[in-house]
Amino acid sequence: MHVPVQAIDREIWRDGVASEGARLIPEETPLALTYNGGTYAVMMGTPQNLEDFAVGFSLDEGIIKSVDDIKSLEIVRLDDGIELQMWLASEDGARISERRRHIAGPTGCGICGIDSIAEAIRPAAVVPQGTSFTPQHIMAAMQAIAPLQSINMQTRAVHAAAFWSPSNGIVALREDVGRHNALDKLAGSLARSRTDASVGMVLLTSRVSVEMVQKTAAIGAPVLVAVSAPTALAVRTAEAAGITLIAIARSDGFEVFTHQGRVTALRAQEIVDVVAC
């Protein structure tokens, strides 16, 4: 049954006392991504926002260059999983044959099945300068995530990736048991809505590994903000890609690891204007 949340009965022990009751937990199911009739990858993920996942994964993996490269997309629900069936123009088929990988990706796996070191640490796209942000912007953006995480509010067991802009707030938010899947879903949502990623920030409720930076670069966002710490390779990749990497973003502040120039303090008059709003 392909629903994002399931109610499961369980026995509860608290303070030495046993009781029974149901708990909502997130679903996890195999998601097969197929192109022109051939399976490219099988990932484990949350069965929600699957069109976004199919488009975002295809863009982030470099299988397509634009959402328009997908000529048709069909979600086929099977007894033991879900197929995301895509058909591309014939010229894109060669790109798939060069990078095809038959994998079963465990939850949270971002580069499972890649068969070379060079592919794993491929250079990320270089992002444009884009928009600068104030510390107040960054704090407001991160605080806006939790109330919109509908699955996590029920289960406390999924990751979120969101996109925030000063003019619109949270533009899109996607959840998944896998943090890479959540970011792929966000990428697909932004691509399908033709959102200009250079005007906002990508927000993560997870740690920042190199794949998360690579995916953010593919999206084209100039700033990546996460609640947890980055890896050293993620920092080096963000530096090379021109991305402002902000991490350990908590209620009391955050840390800027790369391209600090995009974080600017408010001038006195701007503070008055913000308070007035």
Side-chain angles (χ1 to χ4, degrees), residues 142-150 153 173:
M142 293 304 289
Q143 290 170 8
I145 297 177
L148 300 178
Q149 287 187 257
S150 58
M153 284 191 289
L173 182 146

Side-chain angles (χ1 to χ4, degrees), residues 111 120-122 124 179-180 207-216 231 233-235 237-238:
I111 55 175
I121 59 173
R122 67 185 186 276
R179 58 196 172 95
H180 304 93
R207 67 183 178 87
V208 186
S209 55
V210 63
E211 318 94 271
M212 306 300 272
V213 175
Q214 292 168 336
K215 292 177 186 292
T216 299
T231 67
L233 180 56
V235 172
T237 303

Side-chain angles (χ1 to χ4, degrees), residues 1-276:
M1 187 175 182
H2 304 304
V3 295
V5 175
Q6 295 274 359
I8 303 295
D9 292 329
R10 85 280 197 221
E11 183 178 71
I12 309 162
W13 283 86
R14 291 284 185 268
D15 298 322
V17 178
S19 62
E20 295 182 352
R23 181 180 181 85
L24 294 174
I25 59 175
E27 186 55 81
E28 181 182 27
T29 192
L31 305 173
L33 297 110
T34 70
Y35 300 92
N36 295 358
T39 300
Y40 181 85
V42 180
M43 309 298 291
M44 301 301 297
T46 302
Q48 186 181 54
N49 303 121
L50 297 181
E51 291 85 357
D52 289 339
F53 178 54
V55 173
F57 180 92
S58 302
L59 286 167
D60 290 344
E61 289 291 308
I63 296 167
I64 61 174
K65 297 180 180 178
S66 165
V67 64
D68 298 325
D69 292 341
I70 298 178
K71 304 307 177 185
S72 69
L73 167 59
E74 184 177 2
I75 307 301
V76 180
R77 298 178 182 273
L78 309 172
D79 291 340
D80 54 356
I82 303 175
E83 283 193 2
L84 285 57
Q85 298 179 351
M86 288 165 278
W87 290 89
L88 312 180
S90 57
E91 57 267 24
D92 293 315
R95 191 177 305 122
I96 300 173
S97 62
E98 291 173 2
R99 304 189 69 247
R100 185 179 300 277
R101 53 180 182 168
H102 297 278
I103 64 173
T107 300
C109 178
I111 55 175
C112 302
I114 287 177
D115 57 9
S116 75
I117 292 175
E119 178 69 6
I121 59 173
R122 67 185 186 276
V126 178
V127 303
Q129 175 59 33
T131 303
S132 295
F133 302 93
T134 67
Q136 290 81 0
H137 283 149
I138 295 163
M139 298 298 291
M142 293 304 289
Q143 290 170 8
I145 297 177
L148 300 178
Q149 287 187 257
S150 58
I151 297 178
N152 197 57
M153 284 191 289
Q154 298 177 77
T155 66
R156 303 298 178 190
V158 297
H159 296 289
F163 183 80
W164 184 95
S165 72
S167 58
N168 296 306
I170 297 290
V171 175
L173 182 146
R174 295 293 182 264
E175 296 178 279
D176 199 278
V177 290
R179 58 196 172 95
H180 304 93
N181 295 348
L183 187 50
D184 283 333
K185 288 179 179 180
L186 177 67
S189 173
L190 297 177
R192 296 174 71 205
S193 63
R194 312 288 178 173
T195 298
D196 179 5
S198 69
V199 300
M201 300 182 281
V202 167
L203 315 175
L204 303 176
T205 63
S206 61
R207 67 183 178 87
V208 186
S209 55
V210 63
E211 318 94 271
M212 306 300 272
V213 175
Q214 292 168 336
K215 292 177 186 292
T216 299
I219 290 171
V223 177
L224 172 60
V225 188
V227 299
S228 297
T231 67
L233 180 56
V235 172
R236 294 194 295 270
T237 303
E239 180 67 37
I243 291 174
T244 297
L245 175 55
I246 300 170
I248 318 175
R250 310 290 169 78
S251 59
D252 60 345
F254 53 84
E255 300 177 20
V256 187
F257 288 82
T258 59
H259 296 280
Q260 292 86 351
R262 289 197 186 92
V263 181
T264 59
L266 282 175
R267 293 187 294 270
Q269 183 57 49
E270 291 174 321
I271 295 174
V272 171
D273 294 339
V274 169
V275 173

